[in-house]
Amino acid sequence: TIMKAKIIVAMLLLLSLATNVMGQESKNSLRRGYRGFVEVDIPGISTTHGYQFNPNIFVGVGASWIGHSDWAALAKFRYDATIKDKFTPFIDVNTYIEKDYEFNIHPSVGYRFKHFNVKVGYLMNGEGDGGLTFGIGFDFGGRKKK
């Protein structure tokens, strides 16, 4: 649909921006090691815990309650840009598997300010339906030591 195409184009543009500014270390850069998230958005509440591989790449797993079902298993991939700014753009993709083995995907784009995250995304379920989402979150771990 047109909405899905717009979201994909927006994510590609943000990824293009992020790759153009890679390598510019800042005090907001992330380090290797444990990193976790707690997020609240239109679909529900989630918590994710995993590993920050470098200043850009995070992979983790967790659990989510997405509003219309019980708890679901969650896998997250996140790409944080490394730019010299207080606001760090990111792209993340959450995938959910619910108790009836329905598969949902939730790509989003947003900004990180220190430990706080704001994002907009699109939740697509296994039947091809979906909707626009807005979320806020908090992340911990992964910061450079001073």
Side-chain angles (χ1 to χ4, degrees):
T1 65
I2 294 175
M3 179 58 92
K4 288 180 188 176
K6 287 180 182 178
I7 290 173
I8 290 170
V9 168
M11 282 194 244
L12 289 174
L13 289 173
L14 185 59
L15 182 59
S16 173
L17 168 70
T19 56
N20 285 333
V21 296
M22 280 183 61
Q24 298 180 14
E25 292 287 322
S26 77
K27 64 181 179 182
N28 289 329
S29 290
L30 299 166
R31 63 175 170 80
R32 296 176 75 164
Y34 168 79
R35 188 173 179 201
F37 294 87
V38 175
E39 298 174 309
V40 177
D41 55 23
I42 296 288
I45 301 169
S46 66
T47 181
T48 311
H49 306 273
Y51 193 78
Q52 185 74 38
F53 288 92
N54 60 40
N56 306 103
I57 307 291
F58 168 83
V59 176
V61 295
S64 177
W65 182 75
I66 51 178
H68 63 276
S69 70
D70 292 328
W71 288 92
L74 161 67
K76 178 193 259 327
F77 170 81
R78 179 162 161 150
Y79 180 88
D80 288 274
T82 50
I83 61 174
K84 292 183 177 183
D85 196 2
K86 290 182 180 180
F87 296 96
T88 303
F90 67 84
I91 296 171
D92 71 8
V93 178
N94 292 336
T95 56
Y96 307 95
I97 299 177
E98 297 179 35
K99 68 179 180 177
D100 58 359
Y101 301 106
E102 182 177 337
F103 178 77
N104 298 316
I105 188 165
H106 184 202
S108 58
V109 295
Y111 281 94
R112 172 174 56 89
F113 179 74
K114 296 189 180 186
H115 293 281
F116 297 98
N117 301 274
V118 178
K119 66 182 181 177
V120 61
Y122 191 80
L123 178 63
M124 296 177 276
N125 66 23
E127 299 168 359
D129 298 330
L132 197 61
T133 64
F134 300 94
I136 58 171
F138 180 79
D139 68 273
F140 42 93
R143 296 300 184 277
K144 283 192 169 198
K145 294 180 182 172
K146 295 184 180 195

